[in-house]
Amino acid sequence: MSTPNPYRDGEPEYQWGPSQPPGSTPAYGYPNAAPGYGYPQDPAPGYSQTQPAGVPVPYTGPPAPTGGAPLVSIGDITVMGDSIVTPAGTMPLKGSVWNATDMSRTEEKIPTHAIVLAIVFFIFCLLGLLFLLMKEKTTTGFIQVTVTSGGKHHSTMIPAQGPETFQMVMGQINYARSLSTM
């Protein structure tokens, strides 16, 4: 340590800090950072404007992708601005053929608890038969969506959440069909 601690002498509350034996070298990073570590030692070169203010500078980076943002996504099929991206590969959007097949079914049945309540309340009063009017609908199955374009074909299966799922998927397909004619 080349300079002694100026606070070593004098008041006792300033009697703090490490002491270095005379003639020894300080530990790594004390009291100054080691050269070549941390912030850059050389100052960064300043910004020099190459064109006068207000003049637009042309973009010289990599070309922007032509696809753009996804327009619609149907299962694992994604429609971009000019292409269709699937796990089978990328297909051109122009001239693509879209098909959808509804392979779902909706069943309506009387739940078990309604039958039990109808029997229990039939004994006490005839109003128990109203419990037999309770119905529950369950939808099972899939909607198959296929797309063919540029010699490639891809098919995906979308699970049916309810009876309205097929109409929702058909709306997306009709939008993709309208994009394919542009």
Side-chain angles (χ1 to χ4, degrees), residues 77-164:
I77 301 171
T78 304
V79 178
M80 306 295 272
D82 62 347
S83 61
I84 302 167
V85 180
T86 66
T90 303
M91 302 180 228
L93 179 61
K94 188 162 183 71
S96 60
V97 177
W98 295 84
N99 291 315
T101 306
D102 187 6
M103 295 188 288
S104 65
R105 68 173 193 263
T106 302
E107 297 174 344
E108 185 175 312
K109 67 174 190 164
I110 300 173
T112 308
H113 64 275
I115 296 172
V116 170
L117 287 172
I119 293 171
V120 168
F121 282 101
F122 178 73
I123 296 170
F124 298 114
C125 61
L126 294 177
L127 292 177
L129 295 176
L130 292 176
F131 284 108
L132 295 177
L133 297 175
M134 292 174 61
K135 305 275 191 239
E136 74 178 5
K137 292 182 179 182
T138 56
T139 301
T140 57
F142 295 89
I143 289 109
Q144 181 182 24
V145 177
T146 59
V147 60
T148 304
S149 180
K152 293 183 181 177
H153 176 79
H154 183 71
S155 177
T156 186
M157 302 289 272
I158 300 168
Q161 304 293 327
E164 69 283 346

Side-chain angles (χ1 to χ4, degrees), residues 71-72 79-81 93-94 96 174-182:
L71 299 175
V72 67
V79 178
M80 306 295 272
L93 179 61
K94 188 162 183 71
S96 60
N174 287 333
Y175 178 60
R177 285 176 180 161
S178 70
L179 291 173
S180 68
T181 60
M182 293 179 173

Side-chain angles (χ1 to χ4, degrees), residues 28-29 32-44:
Y28 180 78
N32 296 323
Y37 183 76
Y39 290 109
Q41 301 298 321
D42 298 329

